[in-house]
């Protein structure tokens, strides 16, 4: 299968690989996918006020899944929570030139972003905005 | 050392220079039709075919009259299974085979099911083996044929062929054996093993593609087949069509070289495989050998790397030409049917790679391949949330995943 240059770049030089302290109140963690489906993405954000100051990922999956999550962490840094949840899988597909059979990888990345944001929000439920 | 390094010797092998040298005159100088009876051009071609027939027979301990040349193993399997079914179908309609057979056997079996035959697909054990007891238990009064391969193409597991052959003799059931991976790699003797039909292919043993043979026993019992290709009555009526003389000469020469070098080749492949696996296992944890560790084809190493995904693993070793048990890279998303039949979980099946070592593989290539795979696995495990969770002691089977 031919991969786009951008997918190869993210695969060979993944950005922001790692883990943040999932117990910290400033961190939101999203884990989506399942091992038997061949994709598991863990995406974490560290939030200061309303702004994402750090993002990390670990992904078990094909090259396109790794690239989608790596790209997502790049895009998340510096964004507000509202801006983060506005990221759509279509933008990821376009940026990485993913073929139709790999669209599910971008969907998974979008799901991971939303899961991380809602995890963070859950930790702050009932607090004054 | 040139890259990419070829480590897919179970898929195909290059033509040995000794084989090529034997073939070449038969394209130009000795170009006659082996069926031409009226002139020396035909006689010379026929002589070359007879010589190749004897060479193929010698490789498997058969008589030369028991060799039927075909276009390869797939055709030989079609001829054997369909030919037996048509000839003996009035005696019984039951066939026994294994879920881990090559698709060439499984697809023919499915075809025969549509024709009214009943097929029992046996499940192998976790090493890919079938016991005689399991086969015996599946036998019925109307069983006419057992089809079990000598050695598996994906995992290299070698079956107890002689024991299965003995059982089939006792029960007067024909025994067809796919010998594609075994012939020329390990000692094969159809008489000692009690095999009634066996196929082999040129390109798996350093011969040309597009040529192979079917061994058809002619004594104790005499096996009869209904031809699947009608025409000029070549190959004693079992396979019509003008003989591929250069291909057959190459197949014969390949069989001859393979027989002479059998011990040397097997020792070489085994030594490289052991060197490779030792290097990999020293550097990585959570790596599993698929197949029967102690009873495999010498040049076959099928490994699963836990916590990494197959397609990304293949992406990480662009300098190695290997085969993946994960079908993610192809149209279907199903992992290998062989690994599934042995009860290897989907996750491990997806991360399996078959490394094949052959006559031309060097120690340098072997070490390079090991280092490449080690590097790729370490890198992907650093990326893997599953490896991280496993290191934290989380039981992944107990996690409530959000499947998609």
């Amino acid at each position: 299968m031919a991969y786009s240059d951008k997918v190869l770049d993210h695969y060979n030089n993944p950005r922001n690989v790692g883990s943040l302290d999932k117990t910290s109140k400033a961190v939101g963690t999203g884990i989506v996918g399942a091992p038997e489906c061949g994709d598991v993405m863990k995406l974490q954000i560290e939030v200061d006020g309303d702004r994402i100051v750090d993002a990390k990922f670990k992904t078990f999956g094909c090259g396109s899944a790794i690239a989608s999550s790596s790209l997502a962490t790049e895009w998340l840094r510096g964004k507000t929570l509202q801006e983060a949840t506005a990221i759509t899988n279509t933008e990821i597909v376009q940026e990485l030139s993913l073929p139709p059979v790999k669209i599910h990888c971008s969907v998974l990345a979008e799901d991971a972003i939303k899961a991380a944001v809602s995890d963070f929000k859950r930790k702050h439920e009932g607090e004054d905005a | 050392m040139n890259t990419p390094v070829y480590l897919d010797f179970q898929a195909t092998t290059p033509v040995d220079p000794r084989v090529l040298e034997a073939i070449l005159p038969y394209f130009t100088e000795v170009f006659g039709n082996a069926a031409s009876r009226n002139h020396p051009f035909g006689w010379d071609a026929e002589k070359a075919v007879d010589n190749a027939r004897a060479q193929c027979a010698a490789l498997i301990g058969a008589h030369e009259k028991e060799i039927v040349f075909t276009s390869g193993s797939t055709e030989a399997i079609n001829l054997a299974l369909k030919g037996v079914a048509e000839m003996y179908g009035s005696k019984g309609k039951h066939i026994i085979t294994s879920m881990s057979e090559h698709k060439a056997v499984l697809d023919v079996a499915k075809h025969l099911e549509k024709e009214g035959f009943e097929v029992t697909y046996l499940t192998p054990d976790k090493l890919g083996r079938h016991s005689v007891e399991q086969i015996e238990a599946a036998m019925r009064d109307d069983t006419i044929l057992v089809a079990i391969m000598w050695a598996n193409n994906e995992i290299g597991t070698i079956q107890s062929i002689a024991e299965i052959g003995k059982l089939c003799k006792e029960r007067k059931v024909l025994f067809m054996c796919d010998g594609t991976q075994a012939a020329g790699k390990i000692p094969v003797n159809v008489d000692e093993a009690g095999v009634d039909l066996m196929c082999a292919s040129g390109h798996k043993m350093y011969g040309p593609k597009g040529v192979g043979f079917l061994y058809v026993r002619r004594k104790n019992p005499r096996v009869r087949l209904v031809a699947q290709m009608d025409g000029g009555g070549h190959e004693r009526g079992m396979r019509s069509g003008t003989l591929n003389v250069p291909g057959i000469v190459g197949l014969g020469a390949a069989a001859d070289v393979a027989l002479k070098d059998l011990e040397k080749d097997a020792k070489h492949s085994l030594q490289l495989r052991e060197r490779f696996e030792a290097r990999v296992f020293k550097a990585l944890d959570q790596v599993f050998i698929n197949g029967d560790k102690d009873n495999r084809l010498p040049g076959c190493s099928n490994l699963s790397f836990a916590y990494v995904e197959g397609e990304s693993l293949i992406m990480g070793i662009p300098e190695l030409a290997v085969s993946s048990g994960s079908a993610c890279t192809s149209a279907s998303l199903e992992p290998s049917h062989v690994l599934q039949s042995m009860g290897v979980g989907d996750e491990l099946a997806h991360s399996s790679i078959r490394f094949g070592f052959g006559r031309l593989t060097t120690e340098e290539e072997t070490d390079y391949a090991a280092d490449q795979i080690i590097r790729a696995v370490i890198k992907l495990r650093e990326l893997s949330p599953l490896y991280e969770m496993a290191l934290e002691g989380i039981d992944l089977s107990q996690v409530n995943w959000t499947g998609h």
Side-chain angles (χ1 to χ4, degrees), chain B residues 221-234:
Chain B
R222 179 183 182 83
V223 179
R224 294 160 67 218
L225 297 175
V226 174
Q228 301 298 308
M229 185 70 79
D230 298 315
H234 306 77

Side-chain angles (χ1 to χ4, degrees), chain B residues 59-139:
Chain B
L59 179 66
I60 61 167
H63 187 278
E64 57 198 66
K65 286 190 177 158
E66 297 175 311
I67 303 295
V68 176
F69 290 117
T70 66
S71 63
S73 276
T74 294
E75 189 198 329
I77 290 165
N78 271 265
L79 172 57
L81 301 187
K82 290 175 184 170
V84 163
E86 247 186 271
M87 182 61 79
Y88 300 92
S90 57
K91 270 182 64 187
K93 294 280 188 194
H94 184 233
I95 295 167
I96 297 169
T97 187
S98 161
M99 288 168 75
S100 61
E101 288 290 306
H102 192 276
K103 290 283 181 191
V105 168
L106 294 175
D107 272 12
V108 175
K110 279 194 202 111
H111 174 91
L112 291 173
E113 281 187 283
K114 282 186 209 140
E115 307 266 302
F117 286 84
E118 275 182 66
V119 181
T120 300
Y121 299 90
L122 299 174
T123 306
D125 69 11
K126 63 186 197 319
L127 302 182
R129 301 171 305 185
H130 292 286
S131 69
V132 178
E133 293 73 29
Q134 183 195 26
I135 295 166
E136 187 166 23
M139 280 188 175

Side-chain angles (χ1 to χ4, degrees), chain A residues 62-73:
Chain A
C62 66
S64 303
I66 290 169
S68 296
S69 37
S70 170
L71 176 69
T73 58

Side-chain angles (χ1 to χ4, degrees), chain A residues 46-92:
Chain A
E46 188 180 334
V47 184
D48 184 11
D50 189 35
R51 203 161 284 276
I52 296 168
V53 292
D54 199 4
K56 297 271 187 201
F57 86 97
K58 284 205 176 191
T59 290
F60 163 87
C62 66
S64 303
I66 290 169
S68 296
S69 37
S70 170
L71 176 69
T73 58
E74 271 193 324
W75 281 357
L76 285 172
R77 290 181 158 203
K79 281 202 167 57
T80 64
L81 291 176
Q82 202 177 355
E83 286 165 348
T85 47
I87 294 173
T88 66
N89 81 294
T90 331
E91 294 168 88
I92 296 171

